[in-house]
Amino acid sequence: MELNFGMDFEDYFPSMIARFGAEGFINELCNGFRLLMDVNKGLITFESLKMNCSMLGLEVRDDELVCMLMEGDLDGDGALNQMEFCILMFRLSPCLMGGPKICTSTHQGVDSMSM
């Protein structure tokens, strides 16, 4: 499934690394993780991602949210921990990784991700 939010993407990560240094950049990624995570679980969950997209005014379908989580979920728990989030951000940076990796698999249903 290709995600298309009707907006252009400009990769600011290289300029952020140049400005903040590697450690400062990682700290900024961690700040972004904390903004998106469920504060009770310490993870980015389907529910926290959906709520934050809504608060940001982004209209994202449930299947697109599931795909976002699946793309970065390395341990199969249906959510993103801080390490998975940071790895995903690096992988999705065209300038850092030579092009984004887009989720192409389909999911059997959203309900299993929203537990």
Side-chain angles (χ1 to χ4, degrees):
M1 164 187 306
E2 185 171 328
L3 302 177
N4 182 357
F5 299 111
M7 61 182 89
D8 292 328
F9 175 78
E10 185 170 344
D11 189 357
Y12 290 102
F13 284 1
S15 62
M16 289 176 69
I17 292 170
R19 180 175 181 190
F20 300 124
E23 188 172 329
F25 176 68
I26 294 296
N27 287 335
E28 288 302 312
L29 285 180
C30 293
N31 289 337
F33 172 81
R34 284 189 289 280
L35 289 173
L36 296 173
M37 77 175 191
D38 177 313
V39 294
N40 296 317
K41 296 181 180 177
L43 301 168
I44 297 175
T45 63
F46 174 82
E47 294 84 9
S48 71
L49 190 56
K50 184 172 185 162
M51 180 188 67
N52 283 296
C53 283
S54 177
M55 287 187 348
L56 292 169
L58 299 172
E59 294 181 25
V60 185
R61 295 187 325 259
D62 286 357
D63 62 320
E64 292 174 320
L65 294 172
V66 169
C67 188
M68 289 177 196
L69 290 170
M70 287 175 53
E71 186 69 30
D73 183 15
L74 300 176
D75 62 12
D77 66 354
L80 300 179
N81 61 38
Q82 185 169 285
M83 183 62 70
E84 289 171 325
F85 175 78
C86 290
I87 290 169
L88 178 63
M89 292 299 98
F90 269 87
R91 285 183 49 228
L92 293 177
S93 172
C95 293
L96 297 179
M97 297 302 290
K101 308 292 187 262
I102 300 298
C103 178
T104 57
S105 63
T106 59
H107 187 63
Q108 298 301 320
V110 174
D111 292 337
S112 65
M113 295 294 286
S114 58
M115 289 192 233

